[in-house]
Amino acid sequence: MAGANTAVEWLASVAPDPEACRWEWERNPQGIALLPAGRAWDVLILPAGLGYATLDVLTRFLDRPGPVLVDFGDARMGFFVPPGTASRWLGTGIRTAGAGTWIVVPYPGRSTGGVRWLVPPDGSGTLTDPSLLELAMHEAAAGLAREEDG
């Protein structure tokens, strides 16, 4: 539980009103809050097929990547990366959430009816290095292409 509390504090710290954010998490039956990207993290949003394959590659090289969200229908995955990454990202087919955008964030350690953590934040501020993420995406895309070619 200590890890979840630390993660809650880390996530809520970016909210305009951290106390209101914690209150929303506690009272919202879905267990979600809207948080601004671009302060402590940006989010790179991948289609789920590429996202799951990329996460598989990342976890072969890293003990623990940064936080990763998956959306309501398992259609997209969001990798938390350092702030500023979204404004510099050039890859096609990848959506970004950076300064000026908001993301739906579930309470760490609780299941919700929709968006959920695949890799929950641990409160330490660990984020995925965008260069490593890009390399993992390339390897994952190549593996997916090989599978399609049979």
Side-chain angles (χ1 to χ4, degrees), residues 2-85:
N5 287 337
T6 305
V8 167
E9 294 307 314
W10 179 71
L11 289 167
S13 72
V14 302
D17 183 346
E19 188 58 37
C21 176
R22 287 187 291 274
W23 186 92
E24 179 69 17
W25 265 325
E26 292 297 326
R27 308 292 181 300
N28 183 320
Q30 295 176 332
I32 58 173
L34 282 175
L35 292 177
R39 292 184 180 176
W41 62 78
D42 285 356
V43 182
L44 296 182
I45 304 161
L46 285 62
L50 177 60
Y52 279 106
T54 298
L55 185 58
D56 286 343
V57 172
L58 273 177
T59 56
R60 281 189 258 145
F61 299 107
L62 299 172
D63 289 334
R64 180 171 168 74
V68 180
L69 288 172
V70 67
D71 74 356
F72 294 95
D74 274 5
R76 289 175 294 279
M77 291 174 64
F79 290 79
F80 280 47
V81 294
T85 301

